[in-house]
Amino acid sequence: AACQRYACHSGCRFRSGTFDGVPRHGCDASESTTEVRPARCRDSGPELAAKIQAAPAVDEFAARLRTGEPSLVEEMERAYAVVMSESVRNAMISMFQALDMFPPAPPPHGIDDDDCAYEDVSAPLAVIAQRLHN
């Protein structure tokens, strides 16, 4: 909930450096908690307010990543695998589109509608394109 407003501003993207210069509430009293540093001078008021609200949760999450919390590492590895798989799939689709083979027309004979095994690159190109399309 603390990060929801920022997620709306950023399209759910939390990038390194985004919170540089954002004041943290609850810091040591010797530090200024209201001074916004120059790194954030271009942030709009609502965006900066969302970052200030989200900063403690972002800091906590970063600390969990740094300590290698097992469940978080496992989830991150799963997410990475999904991103990599989709990246390969999208690159293959783009290449087949450049070759004017996607979507295949007509579909190759003998490929079921639920056959999505496009990773089998030993198959003919038309079959791979159809499996990507499925």
Side-chain angles (χ1 to χ4, degrees):
C3 296
Q4 191 62 42
R5 284 179 38 208
Y6 175 71
C8 290
H9 283 279
S10 69
C12 296
R13 293 176 189 88
F14 288 74
R15 297 187 172 128
S16 63
T18 298
F19 290 84
D20 292 349
V22 173
R24 277 17 183 212
H25 291 292
C27 293
D28 181 357
S30 66
E31 296 179 29
S32 170
T33 59
T34 57
E35 180 183 336
V36 176
R37 297 197 176 84
R40 300 283 52 99
C41 69
R42 290 197 172 106
D43 292 349
S44 69
E47 181 181 4
L48 182 57
K51 286 180 182 182
I52 291 169
Q53 182 182 17
V58 169
D59 292 344
E60 179 186 339
F61 187 79
R64 291 172 56 202
L65 281 173
R66 281 192 293 275
T67 62
E69 184 179 307
S71 61
L72 191 55
V73 170
E74 181 183 336
E75 187 175 337
M76 187 176 63
E77 289 171 349
R78 276 196 315 267
Y80 178 79
V82 168
V83 168
M84 293 307 296
S85 177
E86 283 300 303
S87 296
V88 169
R89 183 177 180 279
N90 288 336
M92 291 175 75
I93 289 171
S94 294
M95 182 52 66
F96 280 112
Q97 287 172 334
L99 295 170
D100 202 26
M101 295 180 70
F102 192 86
H109 180 71
I111 303 301
D112 295 330
D113 289 343
D114 62 348
D115 184 351
C116 300
Y118 64 88
E119 298 95 342
D120 178 9
V121 293
S122 65
L125 289 178
V127 170
I128 296 171
Q130 183 61 48
R131 290 173 172 166
L132 279 165
H133 184 68
N134 288 346

